[in-house]
């Protein structure tokens, strides 16, 4: 099928390439000339495993093209809207202006039988307003459906091609049939299909992210209790996780969740629920957010407890991205802790296998170091902020010979406590009683 994808950020670029992999002919539209030039040159503007290879393959097979102008020489049967819905600068709500401006531009170039599909994460009720706006501009009733995307950074393409489920929300049978054609190869493999009404489809995504955020904050709340009672939150998670009603996934305690989705989605959800007069129903998400923020503050407090006044103290942050295998630093707990420590006067060095160059000229108060053994020299405290696999293979003996003080805070509970302690380190693990 001829498919058009509007918005070539994380979601859109991945979706465009997933569509090409399913055998469709894809046109990607984005107003950002740099991004389009980059993609046409075979380069992905962010790090995501497997995407670069898929882009080169799709370009050489001519199954994908990218452009900035909102025009289609051959009409697409299905157009996906994948633009961003960031948090507004003035408050906690989601900014849907990119969705509506994409809708307005699209309404001028689509045909009455084109199916427009929203994939962006939006406050419930957005789709209906978008359908009305587009129909008015187009001069005919626009077919609009909603089809949330659940991809995770680091496994984005894999998640798109092998989703746990496909959710389709539509007002008419024609639109859902077209979407089922798009996803035929995935559905034929027996992937569950959940057909719902449009408001439910809009809600599914924020509900899933709110649930995941709540799970992480739950275990981080248990870590707070463990810290004042001498219990161990890692063992606790293991013990409750064996109950398959609870499950052991998303129960890793540490410095909390970040990224471009979970934090903004729970805030946007609360704001939308309040607009709808049902704020109380999700007011617990404010606690979920607050628990998450407290974990960041806890690391700063621990640093102060260990080092005294932070002024001129040398601290090394290992890892900056919000999760490993990603160079995304949006709302990253590790980055925020590094900035808070620097603000308190510490001399903070940062190391990350991938994110340092992506920082450009931002946060110059943090000293960047690509070589981990050079970074270690003279440090009085090391903090593990992102659980990159390579940090697990650090030799605590050799590493210990470089630092000034063998003191480490494991913000992700991934280090081998015994090995580090045997090498003479004082190791502080969040939510754990490790008896140094
Ligand atoms: C998330 C959702 O998982 C995905 O379905 C949605 O489409 C987009 O948002 P992503 O932001 O890529 O994906 O990251 P995810 O793997 O969900 O992790 C989110 C954050 O939670 C990370 O900062 C991670 O470090 C943290 N986390 C995760 C924990 O602190 N503990 C855990 O047990 C799991």
């Amino acid at each position: 099928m001829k498919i058009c994808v509007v918005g070539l950020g994380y979601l859109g670029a991945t979706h465009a390439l997933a569509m090409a992999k399913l055998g469709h002919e894809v046109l990607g539209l984005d107003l950002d000339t740099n991004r389009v030039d980059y993609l046409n040159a075979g380069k992905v503007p962010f790090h995501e495993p497997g995407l670069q290879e898929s882009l080169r393959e799709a370009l050489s097979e001519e199954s994908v093209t990218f452009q900035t102008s909102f025009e289609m020489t051959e009409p697409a049967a299905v157009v996906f809207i994948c633009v961003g819905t960031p948090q507004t600068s003035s408050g906690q709500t989601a900014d849907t202006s990119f969705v509506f401006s994409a809708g307005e531009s699209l309404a001028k170039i689509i045909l009455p039988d084109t199916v427009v599909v929203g994939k962006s994460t939006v406050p419930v009720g957005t789709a209906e307003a978008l359908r009305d706006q587009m129909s008015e501009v187009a001069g005919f009733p626009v077919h609009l459906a909603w089809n949330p995307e659940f991809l995770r950074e680091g496994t984005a393409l894999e998640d798109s091609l092998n989703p746990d489920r496909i959710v389709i929300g539509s007002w008419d049978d024609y639109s859902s049939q077209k979407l089922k054609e798009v996803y035929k190869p995935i559905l034929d493999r027996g992937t569950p299909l959940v057909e719902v009404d449009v408001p439910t489809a809009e809600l599914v995504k924020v509900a899933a992210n709110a649930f995941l955020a709540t799970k992480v904050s739950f275990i981080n709340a248990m870590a707070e209790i463990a810290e004042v009672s001498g219990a161990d939150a890692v063992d606790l998670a293991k013990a409750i996780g064996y109950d398959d009603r609870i499950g052991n996934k998303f129960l890793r305690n540490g410095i909390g969740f970040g990224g471009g989705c979970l934090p903004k989605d729970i805030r946007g959800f609360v704001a939308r629920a309040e607009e709808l007069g049902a704020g109380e129903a999700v007011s617990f998400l404010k606690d979920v957010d607050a628990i998450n923020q407290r974990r960041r503050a806890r690391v700063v407090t621990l640093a102060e407890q260990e080092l005294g006044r932070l002024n001129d103290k040398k601290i090394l942050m290992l890892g900056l991205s919000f999760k490993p295998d990603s160079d995304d630093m949006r709302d990253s707990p590790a980055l925020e802790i590094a900035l808070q420590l620097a603000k308190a006067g510490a001399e903070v060095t940062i190391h990350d296998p991938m994110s340092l160059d992506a920082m450009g000229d931002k946060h110059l108060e943090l000293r960047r170091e690509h070589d981990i053994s050079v970074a270690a020299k003279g440090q009085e405290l090391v903090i593990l902020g992102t659980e990159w696999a390579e940090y697990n293979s650090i030799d605590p003996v050799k590493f210990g010979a470089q630092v000034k003080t063998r003191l480490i805070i494991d913000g992700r509970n991934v280090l081998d406590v015994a090995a580090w302690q045997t090498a003479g380190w004082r190791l502080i693990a969040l939510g754990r009683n490790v008896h140094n």
Side-chain angles (χ1 to χ4, degrees):
M1 286 170 85
K2 288 204 187 316
I3 305 269
C4 174
V5 176
V6 180
L8 297 170
Y10 212 95
L11 169 64
T14 308
H15 187 63
L17 294 172
M19 290 294 101
K21 271 209 184 285
L22 292 185
H24 301 302
E25 211 174 291
V26 186
L27 168 66
L29 299 183
D30 197 297
L31 294 175
D32 184 336
T33 318
N34 282 341
R35 181 167 296 173
V36 166
D37 289 349
Y38 221 75
L39 287 164
N40 275 328
K43 291 186 276 183
V44 178
F46 47 85
H47 174 77
E48 181 59 41
L51 224 51
Q52 189 75 59
E53 297 75 6
S54 301
L55 173 63
R56 299 238 161 104
E57 204 179 287
L59 286 171
S60 71
E61 287 169 359
E62 295 179 4
S63 54
V64 67
T65 48
F66 303 102
Q67 65 186 45
T68 49
S69 56
F70 267 70
E71 53 189 20
M72 296 184 233
T73 34
E74 286 179 88
V78 177
V79 181
F80 287 97
I81 297 183
C82 295
V83 296
T85 50
Q87 191 170 301
T88 50
S89 49
S90 55
Q92 312 274 293
T93 52
D95 176 1
T96 54
S97 58
F98 298 116
V99 173
F100 285 99
S101 59
E104 193 174 346
S105 309
L106 279 171
K108 295 173 188 156
I109 57 168
I110 55 169
L111 302 175
D113 63 355
T114 310
V115 176
V116 179
V117 182
K119 263 197 166 310
S120 309
T121 305
V122 291
V124 59
T126 305
E128 192 176 345
L130 180 67
R131 182 194 59 180
D132 294 349
Q133 177 223 36
M134 289 185 76
S135 299
E136 202 183 308
V137 176
F140 52 79
V142 169
H143 294 287
L144 182 69
W146 219 260
N147 167 226
E149 178 62 58
F150 305 96
L151 57 83
R152 291 162 298 176
E153 296 194 16
T155 50
L157 192 60
E158 173 65 20
D159 287 346
S160 298
L161 292 169
N162 298 298
D164 295 332
R165 74 300 207 185
I166 288 178
V167 178
I168 296 178
S170 71
W171 280 287
D172 60 89
D173 215 37
Y174 172 78
S175 304
S176 47
Q177 287 308 327
K178 275 274 179 255
L179 263 174
K180 282 187 240 176
E181 267 180 62
V182 170
Y183 290 118
K184 191 170 184 306
I186 297 177
L187 292 171
D188 283 352
R189 288 199 304 262
T191 304
L193 168 68
V194 188
E195 289 187 82
V196 294
D197 52 43
V198 174
T200 306
E202 290 172 298
L203 264 180
V204 167
K205 178 64 190 289
V206 277
N209 280 349
F211 191 88
L212 293 171
T214 304
K215 221 176 162 190
V216 174
S217 275
F218 177 84
I219 201 62
N220 280 330
M222 294 306 106
E224 287 189 36
I225 303 295
E227 280 160 7
V228 293
S229 62
D232 188 303
V234 172
D235 289 342
L236 176 89
K238 198 167 154 192
I240 63 171
Y242 277 118
D243 182 334
D244 64 11
R245 293 169 302 174
I246 296 173
N248 58 11
K249 293 187 182 141
F250 259 71
L251 272 189
R252 283 178 287 111
N253 86 280
I255 56 174
F257 59 80
C261 291
L262 262 45
K264 95 169 165 58
D265 286 357
I266 56 170
R267 293 170 199 149
F269 196 7
V270 170
R272 182 61 180 145
E274 282 170 355
E275 277 169 18
L276 292 169
E280 265 182 36
V282 288
S283 65
F284 70 93
L285 290 175
K286 291 182 187 168
D287 286 331
V288 167
D289 200 3
I291 293 165
N292 198 47
Q293 298 301 324
R294 280 208 295 278
R295 289 285 81 188
R296 303 176 185 193
R298 167 79 179 150
V299 175
V300 178
T301 306
L302 281 170
E304 282 164 349
Q305 275 170 11
E306 294 293 324
L307 301 177
R309 282 192 60 222
L310 293 179
N311 222 14
D312 298 330
K313 293 283 164 27
K314 294 188 79 182
I315 301 177
L316 169 63
M317 176 63 77
L318 292 179
L320 273 191
S321 52
F322 84 101
K323 69 188 238 185
D325 294 321
S326 165
D327 59 1
D328 192 343
M329 284 168 289
R330 284 176 294 171
D331 215 330
S332 163
L335 176 59
E336 199 195 315
I337 292 167
L339 290 169
Q340 281 180 19
L341 293 167
K343 204 169 162 203
E347 197 184 299
V348 182
T349 302
I350 49 175
H351 176 275
D352 188 282
M354 213 166 262
S355 312
L356 294 184
D357 296 336
M359 276 183 37
D361 56 6
K362 276 197 221 140
H363 310 310
L364 294 171
E365 68 270 45
L366 306 174
R367 244 193 79 229
R368 302 173 197 188
E369 184 50 69
H370 286 89
D371 183 331
I372 193 160
S373 40
V374 176
K377 289 213 169 77
Q379 298 296 342
E380 292 160 271
L381 167 65
V382 180
I383 301 171
L384 190 142
T386 314
E387 67 277 33
W388 285 93
E390 72 173 74
Y391 295 147
N392 259 325
S393 49
I394 294 175
D395 177 348
V397 177
K398 285 190 193 147
F399 198 57
Q402 266 134 4
V403 295
K404 183 172 171 201
T405 314
R406 294 180 186 195
L407 172 63
I408 186 161
I409 299 176
D410 182 356
R412 296 290 182 178
N413 280 315
V414 287
L415 297 177
D416 179 341
V417 176
W420 283 76
Q421 288 178 333
T422 309
W425 286 78
R426 174 167 160 73
L427 184 143
I428 301 171
L430 291 187
R432 306 195 78 179
N433 189 355
V434 292
H435 304 291
N436 284 288

